Amino acid sequence: MIVELLEFAFLLIITLILAYGVRHYLFTITVLKLANKPRKARVTENSNEPYVSILVPAHNEEKVIERLLKQLTLLTYPKNKLHVIVVNDASFDQTGRIAEKYSQVYDFIEVLHRDKNVGGKGKASAMNAGLQRAIGEIILCFDADYYPQKDIVEKLVEAFVDPKVGAVQGRVVVLNEPQNIVTRLVALERIGGYRVDQEARDSLGLITQFGGTVGAFRHSVLEKIGGWDPSVLAEDTDLTFKVYLAGYKIRYKVDAECYEEAVDNWRAYWHQRVRWAKGHMQCFFRHCFQVLKSSNLNTKEKIDGLMILSVYFMPLLVFFSSLISILLLFLDVYFISYAWFFVPVLFYCFAGNFAPFYEVGIGVYLDNRTRTQWLIPLLIFTFLYNIPICMKALLDIMFNKTLRKKGLEPWYKTVHLGQGNSYIKN
Amino acid sequence: MVKLKKQSLQSHFIIKQRGRVVKIIEKSATALFLTIISFCILAFYKYLNLGSAMVLLITNLLFFSLIYYLKSRTVKKIALMAIGNIAGLLFSLFYQFLASQFSYLFGSSMILISEILFPFSVSFFAVSFWSYGLTFLYDGKNKKEATT
């Protein structure tokens, strides 16, 4: 009986993993085909130049905020149609002063100071405060450690010509990639996600994810869905599904690049990923049935949506399926000698930030980086590291659910030092 | 004038002939590499087991379907795959040889350990080969650079 149960569980998990493998394979092929097609030239003289509000939530970002503000002053978008709101959210360093210095010189920059009584309650809360002040038709979000291209606003705003588009996501590229092995591996994960995954999803008409930053929203849509939810850790995934469930689409612009400072040590990586995993799992429990029932989503969007929502369960499933397969090997189950071989291949397929090695490899190839892909085999370590990360996240969620803990999530922020970057000089 | 025309016609003919020869050589080489790959799969089946041969076949199909779209000559892609197959075969045989030596020295429990570790090490080999192999398929132009 136990053996039969194990066999059933094993086959079920393998089917699920195979589905993910096939999905990523299709993504990779789609992007490869797209790369061979000539790209449409961007409309340079865009008549669609709506009023844009840029929200920059900042909590103790003195080391990086100036770099972003400096770059924002260089944006090519007409300044009379631009409004930058820096939300200085209960910072106790020089963030407010630096932002204030810029707002005194540039009319289109405004600083919203929130003291510790009102602020310090998380990024979502800070974003909502900024949203109340925003008057733009389009709302853009940038994290303080980001470094946008000068024409990023034009690129992001372009897609809003279509009234069905509720949001647009740009590409995130790691700024401090050469710093050390952690930043290099994070950069590989980002390439898999943003160069292949997101572009393929956009092209196939699936669920394009809003990544929390380097994104633009239609103000009316954001108001309609109630802005950012401060009780969710992955407010980006939450917003993604809210936008789709409200009947709008999210587009992805691979050429709208913005450079971010990635975590540079395993400890920071752990904290960041636990937060992401917990947030994603929260969203799974929140949106899973809504996605299934929604009349605004078609079948392929529903399937993709469920796969996105459950992606942080995958490292656990792959891990358990490997354990079961070893157990079945000991029990001498007849099919396992063949099936066994598929487990590690699939196990490895999910190395990195849930992008299989072939997807990351093709992403790197399409970026024409000749040596970066040599580190792909090392993604197995980040994947192994993700197993306890996801385990902790799941246990935390279950623990909180059992104790019925509710309330606002505080700022779990990654420390940005403004060090080392491969693209710009400070 | 007539002499010049004759010369240009001759050079055109030579280029065309040379192109045909190159095509024939490329096709022959592709056929040879495909034969090597087939032999490798058969060797996996004969010297290892059916499971390993199946994995090799799937890996070959996966790799080929992906590199098919890359901007490089087909013969280069097939050659790379043939090298990968030969290296994979040698790696697997060497692994089996080591496993048998270890089991001879440290007892039969080593057989089980090596059996569990084998698929992992083969996967690691395949992924490493894939990532290094991509280097040879670049056209070397348009390296990604930030546009700030």
Side-chain angles (χ1 to χ4, degrees):
Chain A
M1 180 68 183
I2 293 171
V3 175
E4 277 147 17
L5 269 174
L6 281 175
E7 274 180 33
F8 178 73
F10 179 72
L11 288 174
L12 195 72
I13 300 172
I14 286 294
T15 313
L16 210 69
I17 298 167
L18 256 174
Y20 270 90
V22 170
R23 172 176 174 255
H24 285 287
Y25 173 76
L26 291 176
F27 285 176
T28 314
I29 293 287
T30 305
V31 171
L32 276 169
K33 281 183 183 169
L34 275 178
N36 289 335
K37 279 183 194 165
R39 266 184 201 279
K40 277 183 198 166
R42 198 164 63 81
V43 187
T44 43
E45 275 184 39
N46 194 359
S47 55
N48 179 36
E49 278 182 347
Y51 198 88
V52 174
S53 292
I54 300 179
L55 303 185
V56 183
H59 177 65
N60 296 333
E61 299 283 13
E62 63 178 6
K63 300 231 167 91
V64 287
I65 190 85
E66 187 154 17
R67 186 177 66 193
L68 171 70
L69 290 173
K70 208 173 182 180
Q71 189 68 2
L72 290 179
T73 62
L74 300 173
L75 291 177
T76 51
Y77 201 74
K79 299 291 186 293
N80 58 342
K81 289 182 175 178
L82 208 60
H83 179 210
V84 177
I85 305 168
V86 181
V87 185
N88 172 32
D89 199 49
S91 301
F92 42 81
D93 64 358
Q94 297 297 309
T95 307
R97 263 182 64 184
I98 297 166
E100 206 56 65
K101 188 178 84 184
Y102 274 82
S103 92
Q104 279 163 12
V105 180
Y106 300 96
D107 290 342
F108 64 95
I109 298 180
E110 183 192 343
V111 189
L112 175 63
H113 296 282
R114 301 179 87 208
D115 61 25
K116 60 182 177 186
N117 299 321
V118 194
K121 288 172 183 147
K123 185 181 168 183
S125 167
M127 294 299 271
N128 283 332
L131 184 63
Q132 282 176 3
R133 290 283 273 272
I135 46 167
E137 194 187 319
I138 304 295
I139 308 290
L140 250 76
C141 332
F142 286 121
D143 281 354
D145 62 314
Y146 278 62
Y147 188 85
Q149 287 173 325
K150 285 171 191 158
D151 57 347
I152 195 162
V153 181
E154 289 91 327
K155 286 173 180 171
L156 288 173
V157 159
E158 213 175 52
F160 285 105
V161 177
D162 180 359
K164 290 299 281 174
V165 173
V168 180
Q169 174 64 40
R171 182 178 175 186
V172 177
V173 180
V174 172
L175 190 67
N176 54 337
E177 191 186 325
Q179 200 175 324
N180 58 36
I181 191 73
V182 183
T183 53
R184 283 177 192 275
L185 291 176
V186 172
L188 277 180
E189 291 179 347
R190 289 294 206 196
I191 289 171
Y194 281 94
R195 182 64 187 88
V196 182
D197 250 33
Q198 290 272 54
E199 199 181 4
R201 280 199 213 130
D202 181 64
S203 162
L204 293 169
L206 302 173
I207 305 276
T208 308
Q209 249 182 304
F210 168 61
T213 185
V214 201
F217 281 95
R218 205 181 283 281
H219 197 155
S220 56
V221 174
L222 214 46
E223 296 277 357
K224 195 176 166 185
I225 60 176
W228 284 263
D229 186 341
S231 66
V232 186
L233 272 173
E235 73 286 340
D236 44 1
T237 310
D238 186 55
L239 271 184
T240 302
F241 283 92
K242 279 181 176 169
V243 168
Y244 274 94
L245 290 168
Y248 293 93
K249 306 281 171 214
I250 299 179
R251 294 301 310 271
Y252 177 65
K253 299 287 285 179
V254 72
D255 58 337
E257 290 182 1
C258 194
Y259 309 95
E260 70 155 0
E261 200 178 296
V263 287
D264 58 1
N265 61 74
W266 290 115
R267 197 182 161 82
Y269 184 96
W270 169 276
H271 288 298
Q272 188 187 52
R273 297 304 156 106
V274 167
R275 194 176 76 232
W276 290 3
K278 264 173 81 173
H280 236 86
M281 287 171 184
Q282 273 182 328
C283 288
F284 174 83
F285 293 117
R286 184 178 279 214
H287 296 298
C288 182
F289 290 108
Q290 288 177 334
V291 167
L292 280 172
K293 284 190 288 182
S294 174
S295 55
N296 287 326
L297 299 173
N298 58 36
T299 313
K300 62 178 185 178
E301 282 173 335
K302 283 181 183 179
I303 294 170
D304 191 51
L306 289 176
M307 288 178 121
I308 291 171
L309 284 172
S310 46
V311 77
Y312 276 89
F313 294 107
M314 290 316 291
L316 298 176
L317 289 179
V318 176
F319 175 66
F320 286 123
S321 70
S322 301
L323 285 186
I324 295 172
S325 67
I326 292 172
L327 205 65
L328 290 174
L329 192 71
F330 275 106
L331 293 169
D332 216 13
V333 176
Y334 73 99
F335 70 84
I336 198 69
S337 54
Y338 298 136
W340 163 248
F341 286 92
F342 292 95
V343 178
V345 176
L346 294 163
F347 184 96
Y348 203 82
C349 270
F350 290 89
N353 192 18
F354 316 103
F357 70 92
Y358 48 83
E359 190 176 285
V360 178
I362 292 300
V364 172
Y365 174 89
L366 292 174
D367 275 352
N368 259 310
R369 293 156 148 237
T370 45
R371 286 195 296 270
T372 318
Q373 78 278 9
W374 292 357
L375 289 176
I376 290 174
L378 296 184
L379 281 175
I380 187 78
F381 297 112
T382 60
F383 175 71
L384 291 173
Y385 198 42
N386 269 297
I387 294 169
I389 285 172
C390 293
M391 182 68 84
K392 188 189 180 317
L394 184 64
L395 289 175
D396 278 357
I397 294 250
M398 281 160 65
F399 190 68
N400 285 355
K401 270 200 181 291
T402 319
L403 293 181
R404 296 186 186 283
K405 273 189 182 177
K406 271 186 180 174
L408 300 180
E409 295 284 355
W411 269 96
Y412 283 103
K413 70 181 288 298
T414 309
V415 178
H416 301 123
L417 301 171
Q419 285 174 341
N421 60 69
S422 54
Y423 297 117
I424 53 161
K425 287 179 176 69
N426 284 318
Chain B
M1 188 70 182
V2 179
K3 204 179 173 185
L4 263 172
K5 220 173 181 179
K6 208 176 172 183
Q7 267 181 348
S8 80
L9 267 172
Q10 265 179 343
S11 62
H12 178 73
F13 180 74
I14 290 166
I15 290 165
K16 219 175 169 183
Q17 280 291 96
R18 211 175 277 170
R20 266 185 210 154
V21 172
V22 170
K23 264 187 186 171
I24 290 167
I25 293 170
E26 275 193 2
K27 276 184 182 167
S28 315
T30 307
L32 175 74
F33 292 133
L34 282 173
T35 317
I36 291 170
I37 293 169
S38 314
F39 273 117
C40 284
I41 295 168
L42 282 173
F44 258 71
Y45 174 55
K46 191 169 165 37
Y47 297 111
L48 294 160
N49 52 42
L50 180 65
S52 305
M54 275 168 66
V55 170
L56 186 68
L57 186 67
I58 291 169
T59 315
N60 274 324
L61 289 173
L62 175 77
F63 281 13
F64 185 72
S65 64
L66 291 170
I67 61 174
Y68 172 78
Y69 295 99
L70 306 187
K71 283 175 192 163
S72 190
R73 280 151 70 188
T74 312
V75 65
K76 204 172 165 185
K77 293 172 190 168
I78 304 286
L80 192 71
M81 283 178 65
I83 294 166
N85 277 262
I86 295 167
L89 181 66
L90 293 175
F91 173 82
S92 303
L93 291 175
F94 181 66
Y95 184 91
Q96 296 296 329
F97 169 73
L98 275 185
S100 64
Q101 292 304 307
F102 272 95
S103 65
Y104 176 72
L105 289 170
F106 305 107
S108 59
S109 61
M110 290 307 289
I111 294 179
L112 195 66
I113 294 171
S114 66
E115 204 175 326
I116 290 170
L117 289 178
F118 180 62
F120 289 99
S121 43
V122 166
S123 307
F124 199 81
F125 171 82
V127 173
S128 305
F129 192 85
W130 157 258
S131 22
Y132 284 89
L134 273 179
T135 313
F136 299 99
L137 299 175
Y138 279 97
D139 58 3
K141 290 171 202 162
N142 309 320
K143 188 182 184 297
K144 180 176 167 50
E145 263 163 27
T147 45
T148 55

